[in-house]
């Protein structure tokens, strides 16, 4: 039976606030602050526990090797010799944001009836551009069953940021859907990260027929919506978006209704929630999910509840006849301070759970085991000026090794995987 599985990225032991992501206002605003990797990772575990309690199926993706010594070697240096900005780029824990891992097209949408995954190249940002080889290795382990086809990245210079700029709408998870690729052309002072040619290439590789290509508004990117999932999210037949999310929303909405007549478009007016509040609160970077009861719930960061305009709008919506019937608030403040909310932390894959490598699926007991490793090995704090400390690097590397050994995934440690 086809089920939506949320694969959350476990927040790695090198989680720090180096402010590397130009255009991500939270990340740059908190540059230089002291991070708390242990608390961050445990917040992520608590979010996964909350999803399981809601009746959702939960998976994981693993922290990457940090520092990335292979990437540093390709630059002709070693971590201890690299300049501070390169050290920070090599140490980044950004793979925690699994929404950027890949674009996923479930079997009902594809020409060959397989679930297709294309790893994202993330070439726009140096600290993320070296993620894809290890992400691809994990995807090829987790989805090795013949039910899947896992693709390598779109080549540079066509920036591809994965599911953060991709939405799927369908009558239900197992029905044929409409896949929406959102790209950027200009973001004013900030880079537009999703190239239209990258989106088109992924759609071709996935053999999609019912597909829309939609431009994100320059206004949204300039306001700090560096990915579409900061201003829009979709689930089932529901599109939940800000009024200013798209460059030509009228045409997009008309095309979507023509392809999926049962679609419900829930638009938040700018007069009630402006872009600044939407982005600050990550109202749309929430997990919009279908519960076993068939009701839809919105898994929100605490910042949404703390933003009066956002919380007022949400309360009014839930009190009415809208499709979102339940609000679940989670604490992911460590991730939020680096610019990633609940939706950033997960990759959605619609498939039969029996076809997934069970090492990448979790229940309460496995989360207990993961939490114990985190509590024992993750650094409690990383001051910004300590990221080059050899003792910290040794702790970070040992922590990841302990986690992979605990999950029987040491093949990711030894490099026994094919790129």
């Amino acid at each position: 039976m086809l089920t939506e599985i949320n694969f959350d990225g476990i927040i790695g032991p090198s989680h720090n606030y180096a402010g590397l992501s130009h255009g991500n206002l939270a990340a740059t605003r908190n540059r230089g602050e002291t991070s708390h990797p242990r608390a961050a990772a445990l917040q992520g575990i608590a979010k996964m526990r909350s999803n399981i309690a809601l009746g959702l199926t939960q998976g994981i993706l693993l922290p990457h090797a940090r520092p990335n010594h292979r990437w540093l070697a390709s630059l002709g240096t070693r971590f201890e010799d690299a300049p501070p900005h390169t050290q920070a780029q090599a140490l980044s824990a950004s793979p925690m944001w699994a929404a950027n891992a890949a674009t996923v097209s479930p079997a009902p949408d594809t020409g060959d009836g397989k679930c297709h995954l294309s790893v994202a190249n993330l070439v726009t940002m140096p600290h993320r551009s070296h993620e894809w080889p290890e992400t691809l290795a994990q995807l090829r382990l987790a989805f090795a069953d013949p039910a899947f086809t896992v693709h390598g990245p779109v080549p540079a210079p066509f920036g591809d940021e994965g599911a953060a700029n991709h939405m799927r709408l369908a009558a239900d998870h197992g029905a044929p859907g409409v896949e929406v690729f959102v790209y950027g052309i200009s973001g004013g002072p900030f880079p537009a990260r999703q190239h239209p040619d990258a989106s088109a290439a992924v759609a071709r590789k996935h053999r999609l027929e019912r597909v829309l290509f939609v431009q994100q508004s320059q206004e949204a990117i300039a306001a700090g919506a560096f990915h579409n999932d900061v201003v829009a999210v979709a689930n089932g037949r529901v599109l939940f978006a800000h009024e200013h999310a798209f460059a030509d929303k009228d045409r997009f909405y008309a095309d979507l209704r023509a392809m999926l007549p049962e679609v419900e478009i829930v638009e938040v007016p700018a007069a009630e929630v402006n872009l600044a509040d939407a982005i600050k609160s990550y109202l749309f970077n929430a997990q919009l999910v279908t519960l076993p009861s068939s009701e839809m719930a919105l898994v929100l960061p605490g910042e949404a509840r703390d933003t009066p305009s956002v919380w007022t709008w949400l309360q009014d919506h839930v009190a009415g006849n809208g499709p979102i019937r339940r609000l679940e608030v989670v604490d992911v403040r460590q991730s939020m301070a680096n610019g990633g909310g609940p939706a950033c932390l997960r990759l959605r894959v619609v498939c039969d759970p029996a076809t997934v490598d069970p090492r990448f699926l979790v229940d309460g007991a496995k989360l207990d085991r993961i939490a114990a490793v985190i509590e024992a090995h993750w650094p409690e704090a990383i001051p910004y000026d300590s990221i080059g400390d050899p003792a910290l690097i040794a702790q970070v590397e040992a922590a990841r090794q302990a986690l992979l050994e605990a999950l029987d995934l040491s093949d990711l440690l030894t490099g026994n995987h094919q790129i």
Side-chain angles (χ1 to χ4, degrees):
M1 178 179 177
L2 296 183
T3 302
E4 181 178 85
I5 307 174
N6 290 282
F7 288 85
D8 277 40
I10 296 175
I11 298 173
S14 69
H15 164 64
N16 68 87
Y17 296 135
L20 300 173
S21 190
H22 183 54
N24 183 328
L25 301 183
T28 53
R29 182 173 60 247
N30 290 302
R31 182 181 186 273
E33 296 294 325
T34 295
S35 67
H36 296 276
R38 188 182 307 160
L42 292 174
Q43 287 172 2
I45 297 297
K47 180 176 88 74
M48 287 190 260
R49 291 190 196 279
S50 176
N51 283 352
I52 291 171
L54 290 173
L56 304 176
T57 305
Q58 185 67 53
I60 52 170
L61 293 175
L62 288 304
H64 290 197
R66 293 292 180 266
N68 188 336
H69 295 295
R70 290 182 180 179
W71 182 68
L72 289 165
S74 75
L75 294 172
T77 189
R78 301 180 303 167
F79 186 79
E80 55 267 33
D81 301 324
H85 73 278
T86 305
Q87 287 184 330
Q89 290 165 348
L91 196 65
S92 172
S94 53
M96 62 198 260
W97 293 306
N100 300 120
T103 303
V104 183
S105 296
D109 299 355
T110 67
D112 61 0
K114 293 188 174 186
C115 178
H116 286 248
L117 301 94
S118 285
V119 70
N121 62 30
L122 298 169
V123 296
T124 305
M125 296 289 160
H127 70 289
R128 304 214 65 178
S129 66
H130 56 90
E131 289 179 24
W132 72 262
E134 189 164 339
T135 300
L136 182 58
Q138 292 196 37
L139 296 178
R140 286 183 170 166
L141 280 177
F143 306 109
D145 189 274
F148 301 96
T149 297
V150 179
H151 301 275
V154 173
F158 308 112
D160 177 24
E161 304 267 322
N165 292 303
H166 172 263
M167 300 181 290
R168 178 180 188 259
L169 294 110
D172 58 65
H173 292 317
V178 176
E179 300 203 15
V180 180
F181 291 79
V182 183
Y183 62 88
I185 296 295
S186 173
F190 301 136
R193 300 191 187 185
Q194 185 71 27
H195 197 287
D197 287 352
S199 296
V202 172
R204 288 192 296 268
K205 290 198 292 182
H206 292 195
R207 300 178 60 179
L208 302 177
E209 295 181 358
R210 299 180 52 177
V211 60
L212 292 172
F213 299 99
V214 180
Q215 184 180 340
Q216 187 175 1
S217 75
Q218 177 177 331
E219 181 181 3
I221 299 172
F226 52 99
H227 291 137
N228 173 68
D229 66 2
V230 179
V231 285
V233 62
N235 177 61
R237 67 184 186 282
V238 175
L239 171 67
F240 179 46
H242 191 271
E243 179 183 355
H244 297 317
F246 307 107
D248 187 351
K249 68 169 186 176
D250 292 337
R251 179 178 177 182
F252 170 37
Y253 292 171
D255 289 345
L256 183 56
R257 288 185 174 110
M259 297 179 75
L260 190 72
E262 63 266 46
V263 68
E264 293 187 57
I265 299 174
V266 179
E267 185 181 86
V268 178
E272 297 185 40
V273 178
N274 60 37
L275 269 175
D277 280 357
I279 292 168
K280 176 182 69 175
S281 67
Y282 271 25
L283 164 61
F284 299 97
N285 196 251
Q287 290 182 248
L288 183 58
V289 296
T290 302
L291 303 178
S293 65
S294 296
E295 288 185 331
M296 285 199 191
L298 199 62
V299 180
L300 296 146
E303 287 78 356
R305 184 171 53 193
D306 297 340
T307 305
S309 64
V310 168
W311 197 243
T312 296
W313 188 92
L314 286 167
Q315 293 294 306
D316 289 346
H317 179 83
V318 171
N321 294 317
I324 302 170
R325 307 308 310 151
R326 181 170 174 175
L327 306 176
E328 293 289 328
V329 177
V330 295
D331 178 7
V332 288
R333 292 186 185 275
Q334 282 288 308
S335 176
M336 286 285 290
N338 229 350
C344 282
L345 286 164
R346 64 92 177 94
L347 180 70
R348 308 163 85 166
V349 182
V350 172
C351 65
D352 181 348
T355 61
V356 178
D357 187 319
R359 295 177 294 177
F360 290 87
L361 298 176
V362 294
D363 56 14
K366 187 178 284 189
L367 289 177
D368 289 344
R369 193 158 78 245
I370 294 170
V373 174
I374 290 166
E375 289 169 344
H377 295 280
W378 260 232
E380 193 281 326
I382 298 181
Y384 174 66
D385 59 4
S386 73
I387 62 174
D389 182 356
L392 171 65
I393 301 310
Q395 184 180 7
V396 165
E397 292 181 332
R400 176 176 177 269
Q401 178 172 338
L403 177 64
L404 298 188
E405 289 175 350
L407 296 174
D408 191 27
L409 280 162
S410 294
D411 37 1
L412 289 171
L413 275 173
T414 59
N416 292 332
H417 50 262
Q418 298 297 314
I419 304 297

